Amino acid sequence: MLLALKSCGKTEYEKLMKIYEESNRENSRRFFPECTEEEALKRTEAAFSEYLASEFFPEAGNVCYVLEADGKWVSALRLYALSLSPRSYYIEALETRTDERKKGYARTLLKGVISALSERGAFVVRDNVAKNNFPSLALHEKCGFSVERQWGFDPFGGGKDVDSYGLIYNSSARPLQ
């Protein structure tokens, strides 16, 4: 089941943190090197939850999409509504729980988001994917994304990331498969 979250309570944050545990562990070593591994993880999760509550969810049009399977939250992504043009979006943090990978959940989630957006007409979605993240690049291609730029773009600050590709899904150029 596809869930569209526009806010979260404590239980929802705990479920999201299970999905993002691997990334949070990686980030915690960078953000809190002075802490034990578990304390750093707790602090990273708290900071992430605070970001969602105070910056992400309050912005009009931002949605955290979650895929639930067999009563468990298995995959998630953040969809930002961009002011570049109407019906323009940016995806960030597409992840699947480590114990639920290789089951097609990320594909189901991404296709579900595309389907949900298409119900309201034409749209464009952009994403950045690391050039060496071959599974994610293949997933995006299977879902109708193509390389728009040879570098990732920061829709919020305008910077470039030469280690990523800038991908695009343009609904008016592709029928939903």
Side-chain angles (χ1 to χ4, degrees), residues 16-89:
L16 275 177
M17 293 308 116
K18 288 288 188 192
I19 294 171
Y20 291 112
E21 184 175 0
E22 182 179 50
S23 293
N24 284 339
R25 282 192 186 281
E26 290 171 9
N27 290 333
S28 67
R29 290 188 288 273
R30 241 188 7 227
F31 298 148
F32 304 105
E34 73 285 359
C35 296
T36 66
E37 186 176 326
E38 287 309 306
E39 179 59 28
L41 177 60
K42 286 180 185 175
R43 290 177 71 179
T44 300
E45 289 175 343
F48 185 17
S49 297
E50 176 60 27
Y51 164 75
L52 291 172
S54 65
E55 295 181 46
F56 178 75
F57 286 125
E59 288 294 319
N62 288 355
V63 180
C64 181
Y65 281 97
V66 175
L67 183 67
E68 183 178 63
D70 299 321
K72 183 192 291 186
W73 287 16
V74 295
S75 195
L77 63 78
R78 290 191 307 270
L79 183 80
Y80 293 84
L82 299 177
S83 59
L84 301 173
S85 63
R87 309 270 301 137
S88 180
Y89 303 94

Side-chain angles (χ1 to χ4, degrees), residues 94 102-112 114-115 127 129 133-147 167-169 174-177:
L94 169 59
K102 300 193 185 262
K103 297 179 182 178
Y105 290 137
R107 183 176 189 208
T108 300
L109 172 64
L110 196 50
K111 285 189 162 277
I114 289 168
S115 180
D127 196 359
V129 175
N133 189 343
F134 303 113
S136 187
L137 290 168
L139 165 69
H140 281 78
E141 184 179 355
K142 286 177 189 172
C143 291
F145 283 77
S146 60
V147 174
L167 305 179
I168 188 168
Y169 180 97
R174 290 179 179 74
L176 186 63
Q177 300 173 354

